[in-house]
Amino acid sequence: QWGVLYGSCSAPRRWQETLHPWIETQDFVAGKNEQCIFYNSKTKVLVATYTDDIIARGPAEAVVSFMTTLAKRFHCKPPRYFTEATPLDHLGMMFFMNERGVFLSMEHYIATMIHNLKLDTSTFRKCRTPISAPIDDYTSLSEDESAFFMSGTGMIGWLAVTGRPDLKYAHSRISQHLASPNVGALKALMHAIRYSHFTRDFCLHQSHDDSANWSMSCDSDQSGNTEVQNRRRSQMGYLAIFGSAPIVWGSKASTVQFDGWTELSSTAQVRLDLTSGGVPVCHPEMDDLHPDMSSAAAEVYAASIALAEFLHLSYINDEMGYGTIPIVIGVDNSTAIAFSENSTKRSKMRHIDCRQLWVQALRNRKLCKLIKVGTEENLSDMFTKILGPIRFEQLRDQMMVREPLPTASAAA
């Protein structure tokens, strides 16, 4: 290596092959499902790496010892310890704590986003939801407008996957237009940006209470999105909360398209491997999700997708030293629950081949259980459809809190 290593194409791999084996020499065990997670069962220290950043959690003395040893092996900046007086900023995510608990705020990132997009907030009209109407103006954008649209959509996407689950569904709808940016999608993006500005102090929150439990749910909206490019695909949403903080959430359009069946493969095989991700189908020869006229079937498919995500979450949670997670998924469709309990004999879902692995996994009580929750209590409803302000705020306020940044953080 005669040139500069940092920034070269091989740098990430070389750094990982240098850092990770060294961490393992310190009696840490690397995760198999998340290779950037390391846990030392003797010292109870958990370490996570992100490129050239490292975070550690555990007994104070053991963490200090690890950081000291790390500094002897590598040239490092002095470690920063997370306290009420010292919040941590990582990639726009501001972590801070007070007597109420620990918070994750994206307020700094939202301000930076608006600055970089050169927007004047004095002209913003207040809005209460991140998306309020379908995108129906398909007039093409200019080259400059398209560049703005793509940059803005990417920034909203970062918010949606880090600390702002309330933006996830809006981003899912807007990002469908990245291939063909149009006036309607640009208006929807500006609406989401305005919403972000007026709700910039909303945070994820976890109290100091150690008695937190897991809560999981999923939902689907069958063919509710009538936009042309969507082709009547159903929208699936899922959410896993620990205590009061959302940990995993998703909103995605299924691959169901009402424009014909996909071609059958030459060899029948199970299409869903719950450990690596996949899609549930009614017949093992189907290449992908297919048109289905039953809302209960759409709920079953959503539950299977959610189960795959929650299983992966459970594996990582166990590798981090916190133990396995009991997977109990709340759904608001009684027929879907009956299907998971194998108690439907004559129903609109008898076209589903129950010999498939994804069906058997959904019915395996050692893996998961589906329980009934009322539609009004299903928080995943926020990830499947456009909601009015009252309903949206009711759901959002059950997973986020309003908390301004502490003075020191705001001035940073």
Side-chain angles (χ1 to χ4, degrees):
Q1 181 73 33
W2 295 97
V4 177
L5 178 62
Y6 192 89
S8 65
C9 294
S10 61
R13 171 58 63 182
R14 291 191 182 196
W15 172 238
Q16 178 175 317
E17 291 175 349
T18 301
L19 176 64
H20 287 189
W22 179 85
I23 295 177
E24 291 184 83
T25 65
Q26 306 302 306
D27 293 328
F28 284 85
V29 176
K32 301 300 183 183
N33 296 281
E34 176 51 75
Q35 298 181 37
C36 294
I37 292 292
F38 301 84
Y39 181 65
N40 188 322
S41 59
K42 297 178 181 177
T43 62
K44 307 301 181 184
V45 173
L46 173 67
V47 169
T49 66
Y50 185 90
T51 315
D52 55 355
D53 294 325
I54 296 179
I55 187 170
R57 180 184 181 184
E61 184 178 348
V63 170
V64 171
S65 176
F66 170 76
M67 290 297 183
T68 301
T69 306
L70 178 70
K72 291 179 180 178
R73 172 61 181 84
F74 301 99
H75 181 65
C76 306
K77 294 180 180 178
R80 295 186 61 192
Y81 294 95
F82 185 42
T83 66
E84 289 192 26
T86 55
L88 298 178
D89 184 5
H90 181 64
L91 301 176
M93 297 176 283
M94 180 63 72
F95 297 88
F96 65 95
M97 73 167 74
N98 56 31
E99 69 282 354
R100 293 181 56 200
V102 178
F103 300 84
L104 166 55
S105 172
M106 300 301 293
E107 187 171 347
H108 273 172
Y109 184 88
I110 292 171
T112 302
M113 172 183 70
I114 292 173
H115 176 268
N116 290 344
L117 293 175
K118 297 180 173 61
L119 298 175
D120 180 7
T121 58
S122 65
T123 63
F124 282 7
R125 186 181 74 255
K126 189 172 183 179
C127 51
R128 296 170 59 187
T129 62
I131 184 169
S132 61
I135 298 171
D136 52 14
D137 187 343
Y138 300 102
T139 306
S140 298
L141 297 177
S142 67
E143 185 175 342
D144 289 343
E145 289 173 330
S146 295
F148 176 92
F149 173 75
M150 292 181 181
S151 296
T153 302
M155 294 175 186
I156 291 294
W158 179 246
L159 288 169
V161 300
T162 50
R164 294 300 300 263
D166 52 333
L167 289 167
K168 188 62 177 176
Y169 177 68
H171 178 259
S172 177
R173 291 284 290 257
I174 295 169
S175 62
Q176 290 183 25
H177 299 269
L178 283 170
S180 300
N182 54 65
V183 172
L186 180 59
K187 289 180 179 177
L189 171 64
M190 289 303 302
H191 186 96
I193 292 174
R194 292 201 312 273
Y195 167 82
S196 301
H197 170 69
F198 288 111
T199 61
R200 58 190 178 277
D201 56 350
F202 269 88
C203 308
L204 301 186
H205 165 252
Q206 188 69 277
S207 70
H208 295 298
D209 185 5
D210 292 331
S211 60
N213 295 310
W214 286 95
S215 173
M216 301 175 182
S217 64
C218 68
D219 196 19
S220 70
D221 180 53
Q222 186 194 20
S223 312
N225 183 354
T226 60
E227 295 171 17
V228 174
Q229 89 296 330
N230 191 61
R231 299 179 181 178
R232 287 285 184 172
R233 292 180 296 174
S234 297
Q235 191 80 17
M236 301 178 181
Y238 55 86
L239 172 69
I241 292 180
F242 182 65
S244 58
I247 304 299
V248 171
W249 59 87
S251 177
K252 59 181 71 176
S254 74
T255 47
V256 177
Q257 295 185 2
F258 282 75
D259 59 350
W261 295 75
T262 58
E263 296 182 0
L264 297 182
S265 60
S266 58
T267 304
Q269 56 182 309
V270 175
R271 291 295 181 188
L272 181 63
D273 177 359
L274 285 171
T275 62
S276 61
V279 290
V281 291
C282 73
H283 190 280
E285 283 197 0
M286 295 299 298
D287 281 331
D288 221 328
L289 279 172
H290 52 84
D292 204 311
M293 302 308 294
S294 168
S295 60
E299 294 279 356
V300 167
Y301 297 148
S304 180
I305 295 295
L307 174 58
E309 297 290 340
F310 297 156
L311 281 173
H312 185 243
L313 172 65
S314 179
Y315 305 151
I316 296 175
N317 195 72
D318 191 29
E319 291 177 344
M320 293 170 65
Y322 297 126
T324 57
I325 301 173
I327 300 178
V328 180
I329 306 174
V331 299
D332 55 18
N333 188 289
S334 298
T335 305
I337 295 175
F339 179 85
S340 73
E341 295 174 345
N342 196 20
S343 59
T344 54
K345 302 304 179 185
R346 300 289 297 175
S347 75
K348 292 182 180 180
M349 292 189 291
R350 59 182 178 270
H351 61 291
I352 298 177
D353 187 349
C354 296
R355 295 172 295 181
Q356 298 179 92
L357 289 183
W358 73 265
V359 177
Q360 298 304 313
L362 205 59
R363 291 176 170 178
N364 188 339
R365 287 295 162 266
K366 294 181 179 179
L367 285 181
C368 73
K369 180 180 180 181
L370 267 58
I371 61 172
K372 184 72 166 68
V373 296
T375 301
E376 294 299 313
E377 289 76 41
N378 192 344
L379 299 185
S380 292
D381 192 39
M382 189 174 74
F383 302 113
T384 63
K385 60 181 71 72
I386 297 175
L387 300 173
I390 295 177
R391 172 64 173 158
F392 176 82
E393 291 172 350
Q394 176 193 22
L395 295 176
R396 179 199 62 195
D397 294 350
Q398 293 183 64
M399 64 180 77
M400 303 182 72
V401 298
R402 203 152 208 164
E403 187 76 17
L405 287 172
T407 305
S409 302

